[in-house]
Amino acid sequence: MAIKTASGTRMWIGPAIDPDNATLASLKAISSAAWVEIKKVESFGDYGDENSSVSFSEVGRGRVEKAKGQADAGTMAVTVGVVQGDAGQAAMVDAQASKSNFAFRIETPDAPIDGEPNTIEYFGGLVMSKRKSVGTTDNVLKRTFNIGINSEIFDELGNIA
């Protein structure tokens, strides 16, 4: 199977949700009109579960044992080229001013064969920041939104449901 590039990846922000009650079914049930695409995304930061390390030191064994602790889906940095009037970027700015968690949807162009479904991921999180970067003369005005993911990340993997 061939590798795929990130080119064509798209992201949407949805309504405020309770991440404790988020499921794949509940996030997929959000009406298409409630999702707002975030335009001019330049990059998506890392995201996905990473467990904390829990350690125990047994004196008699002289070895540290490790176990998996809590899962943390991370904080994803989404960098956009600033576009005044973009509904998705405006929704992210509004979400940053709120203490609510919001629904997010990402579609990656990774279908094994053209015409087959791409992977769609859903999750809930807080928009933690909206930092703007002006840079120098030849820079594009950018804004980085950090999303603190507070739910499981639900994958709908093309044909692999």
Side-chain angles (χ1 to χ4, degrees):
M1 211 177 285
I3 61 170
K4 304 287 183 166
T5 67
S7 180
T9 299
R10 298 167 64 197
M11 182 175 193
W12 294 261
I13 183 172
I17 63 164
D18 177 355
D20 292 339
N21 295 318
T23 64
L24 178 58
S26 70
L27 293 169
K28 283 179 63 174
I30 295 171
S31 76
S32 59
W35 292 105
V36 181
E37 186 170 2
I38 303 161
K39 300 285 186 153
K40 300 296 182 190
V41 175
E42 178 184 54
S43 66
F44 299 89
D46 293 344
Y47 61 102
D49 278 347
E50 179 176 350
N51 292 82
S52 62
S53 177
V54 177
S55 61
F56 174 76
S57 299
E58 181 182 351
V59 176
R61 188 170 171 214
R63 173 139 325 259
V64 174
E65 294 180 58
K66 292 184 177 60
K68 283 184 179 182
Q70 293 185 328
D72 180 352
T75 300
M76 180 169 74
V78 178
T79 302
V80 301
V82 174
V83 176
Q84 295 296 334
D86 175 66
Q89 290 185 25
M92 292 290 281
V93 169
D94 290 346
Q96 192 278 326
S98 170
K99 292 187 180 194
S100 294
N101 283 269
F102 288 82
F104 291 93
R105 181 175 85 191
I106 298 174
E107 181 176 357
T108 52
D110 60 354
I113 299 170
D114 288 344
E116 290 188 358
N118 291 320
T119 297
I120 299 176
E121 295 173 298
Y122 299 89
F123 59 89
L126 293 166
V127 180
M128 305 293 290
S129 68
K130 59 175 185 178
R131 293 194 169 166
K132 193 171 187 178
S133 174
V134 175
T136 62
T137 307
D138 290 334
N139 288 59
V140 171
L141 294 174
K142 297 179 187 178
R143 188 177 296 277
T144 299
F145 298 101
N146 285 310
I147 303 167
I149 301 173
N150 281 331
S151 75
E152 181 179 339
I153 298 172
F154 300 98
D155 293 337
E156 186 175 48
L157 303 172
N159 286 321
I160 306 174

